[in-house]
Amino acid sequence: MAVRTAVIPAAGMGTRFLPATRATPKELLPIYDTPALQFVIDEAAQAGCTRVVIVTSRAKPSIENYAAVASTDKVAVSVAYQDSPLGLGHAVSCARQAVGDEPFVVMLPDEIMGDASLTKQLIELFEKSGKSSIGLKRVAPAEVSSYGNVKVAGGAGVAGDANSSVEILQVVEKPKPADAVSDIVIIGRYVLSPKVFEKLELIKPSNNGELQLTDALAMLANEQALLGVVSEITRYDTGTPMGLLRAVIEIALDRKDIGPQLNAWLREKFNK
Ligand code: UTP
């Protein structure tokens, strides 16, 4: 079945960006002049999605206001609500009615990708295999405990090729270094079968009280129903203020309209 819907969870508290997020949701903080949310809506459209469902909270009316003017001739943008921030897994389940009984992409708006290639690849893999397919990357061992960590079939060597698809055998959320199952972690793009909604009904809150999407993914992996793509895509983690600042600088430097001016100013500043 074709994948035409993207779900963008945007109902979180954004506590790492306080005090900015008292006034502006994290997802609308600008990368130079464009909200992070817009980058993800554009990526969904470039990957061939025709519907975007933003999961938001009634406490963040500016997201609704943005969504109201974000539809284009390529993509229809709507909202679904998560009444309280009970975790990413819960946010995804709040989109169930809007998505319906069809596969969909989940795109985290605090990870900005250099282009839509990974999302396209995951959609192709899903359409070929019928299995949920998620974005993966290799990280340094010290970083593994910040992410969902996966064990893949055939051992680490098999996943050595960039952009290769792999079968996921096990998923562990933010493991202690000693409990890491590999150096491969989950990044914020997921193409999911609607079966994930049934799994999301079964999961229990984790230690921090949140319903984790990774717990539902672990159930799919136990049923041999989860694939991944180990990607080397350019990726900006804009979930922290320093990550956002880096993304603003790098993305602005790459832009034809402002890049040369920013580059000249930085050179002047550092040559003093
Ligand atoms: P994060 O955990 O990075 O966002 O979730 P957060 O909770 O807003 O951030 P901090 O830790 O307080 O700074 C990743 C994405 O999932 C959404 C967030 O809005 C963000 O886009 N999310 C998270 C939800 O929609 N609902 C939730 O309950 C949790």
Side-chain angles (χ1 to χ4, degrees):
M1 190 185 231
V3 179
R4 62 182 186 122
T5 307
V7 171
I8 305 179
M13 306 269 273
T15 51
R16 284 169 288 179
F17 280 91
L18 284 169
T21 43
R22 280 187 204 150
T24 306
K26 168 170 95 168
E27 299 78 9
L28 292 180
L29 292 174
I31 310 242
Y32 188 65
D33 55 5
T34 304
L37 182 61
Q38 185 64 51
F39 276 81
V40 188
I41 296 172
D42 290 346
E43 184 190 321
Q46 281 158 21
C49 295
T50 53
R51 300 200 307 158
V52 167
V53 179
I54 302 172
V55 180
T56 185
S57 138
R58 294 187 200 272
K60 296 166 86 171
S62 47
I63 299 259
E64 271 167 78
N65 295 343
Y66 196 88
V69 293
S71 295
T72 64
D73 55 347
K74 293 212 168 55
V75 72
V77 179
S78 61
V79 296
Y81 293 97
Q82 183 187 28
D83 291 330
S84 38
L86 299 177
L88 181 58
H90 182 255
V92 171
S93 66
C94 292
R96 184 173 193 168
Q97 215 186 341
V99 169
D101 190 25
E102 54 178 79
F104 60 104
V105 195
V106 173
M107 308 175 77
L108 301 192
D110 52 8
E111 293 182 40
I112 307 286
M113 303 297 170
D115 57 40
S117 60
L118 173 60
T119 298
K120 277 189 193 153
Q121 227 178 327
L122 294 171
I123 290 175
E124 278 163 23
L125 186 57
F126 177 88
E127 291 177 352
K128 213 164 55 185
S129 66
K131 293 187 181 183
S132 296
S133 302
I134 64 176
L136 302 172
K137 78 168 198 144
R138 286 180 181 281
V139 295
E143 286 179 49
V144 171
S145 53
S146 310
Y147 292 89
N149 178 213
V150 298
K151 183 171 171 189
V152 302
V158 164
D161 295 342
N163 304 319
S164 56
S165 67
V166 289
E167 188 187 345
I168 298 174
L169 303 177
Q170 195 186 349
V171 179
V172 193
E173 175 67 0
K174 299 195 172 88
K176 292 191 188 108
D179 300 331
V181 290
S182 73
D183 63 348
I184 302 174
V185 301
I186 302 175
I187 56 175
R189 299 295 180 267
Y190 316 72
V191 175
L192 300 174
S193 146
K195 280 187 206 132
V196 78
F197 290 125
E198 290 155 34
K199 307 296 179 203
L200 287 168
E201 276 181 15
L202 300 174
I203 61 173
K204 302 270 178 296
S206 64
N207 292 342
N208 67 0
E210 292 192 350
L211 292 166
Q212 305 287 356
L213 179 60
T214 39
D215 289 343
L217 298 178
M219 290 183 186
L220 293 175
N222 287 342
E223 295 173 6
Q224 289 87 46
L226 189 64
L227 304 179
V229 170
V230 183
S231 174
E232 290 183 353
I233 193 165
T234 301
R235 170 181 167 274
Y236 304 103
D237 179 353
T238 56
T240 62
M242 183 52 79
L244 179 71
L245 183 60
R246 282 187 189 187
V248 172
I249 294 170
E250 292 205 27
I251 290 171
L253 280 171
D254 273 349
R255 271 175 53 162
K256 288 198 177 63
D257 57 344
I258 49 169
Q261 201 184 335
L262 176 61
N263 195 309
W265 177 74
L266 286 170
R267 280 176 194 280
E268 190 189 304
K269 186 168 171 55
F270 291 109
N271 285 336
K272 264 187 196 157

